[in-house]
Amino acid sequence: LAQRLVAQPGQMNGRPPVNRIGLFVQYHGTPRIAANFPPHSFWPQPKVHSCLVVIEVRPAKELPLTPDKEATLAQLVRLAFGQPRKKIKNSLALPLSPSLGKKRPCELTMEEWIELALHAQ
């Protein structure tokens, strides 16, 4: 989960791609992994490694979308990530540029998501 919170668009190659929760965390702030903890740091020992994630939250006045457009963004993200392997043009009924339509939800940048929300009705 920590790696998905800090993932960037299109990250693959053994690293998890961005997902719905990571997208919203990154919209509202800047997440970073502050520390890693091996299983032996806890009792009883879990079977996974743990991370401490720090999120520097952006003030509401610095967010690029109005509350109504944030709701639109949430709806678009929910629809697109409902079928994450499909290309955006096939999961959203919106007029899109050809280059944007060929991408999958995890490949869009935050700026592209914001543009989608601003132009969606």
Side-chain angles (χ1 to χ4, degrees):
L1 177 62
Q3 290 175 344
R4 285 183 181 255
L5 291 179
V6 300
Q8 296 302 307
Q11 268 188 353
M12 296 290 184
N13 303 336
R15 300 188 78 181
V18 70
N19 62 0
R20 282 172 57 178
I21 191 169
L23 186 70
F24 280 105
V25 167
Q26 291 177 25
Y27 174 78
H28 289 284
T30 305
R32 66 180 170 83
I33 296 176
N36 293 299
F37 301 99
H40 69 270
S41 298
F42 304 95
W43 182 258
Q45 286 187 19
K47 294 182 180 179
V48 296
H49 290 260
S50 301
C51 296
L52 173 65
V53 177
V54 175
I55 303 169
E56 294 177 31
V57 180
R58 279 189 197 94
K61 63 184 177 193
E62 291 181 16
L63 296 176
L65 299 175
T66 64
D68 289 343
K69 287 299 181 177
E70 280 185 30
T72 301
L73 176 64
Q75 185 178 19
L76 291 173
V77 168
R78 183 180 51 78
L79 289 171
F81 278 98
Q83 300 172 327
R85 298 302 305 151
K86 279 192 170 187
K87 307 239 177 186
I88 290 290
K89 68 179 179 183
N90 296 327
S91 59
L92 300 177
L94 294 173
L96 303 168
S97 68
S99 62
L100 188 61
K102 292 179 182 178
K103 294 183 177 182
R104 291 184 169 81
C106 66
E107 297 171 333
L108 269 64
T109 64
M110 182 61 65
E111 291 77 21
E112 290 169 328
W113 280 111
I114 291 169
E115 280 299 312
L116 280 175
L118 288 171
H119 292 77
Q121 296 182 356

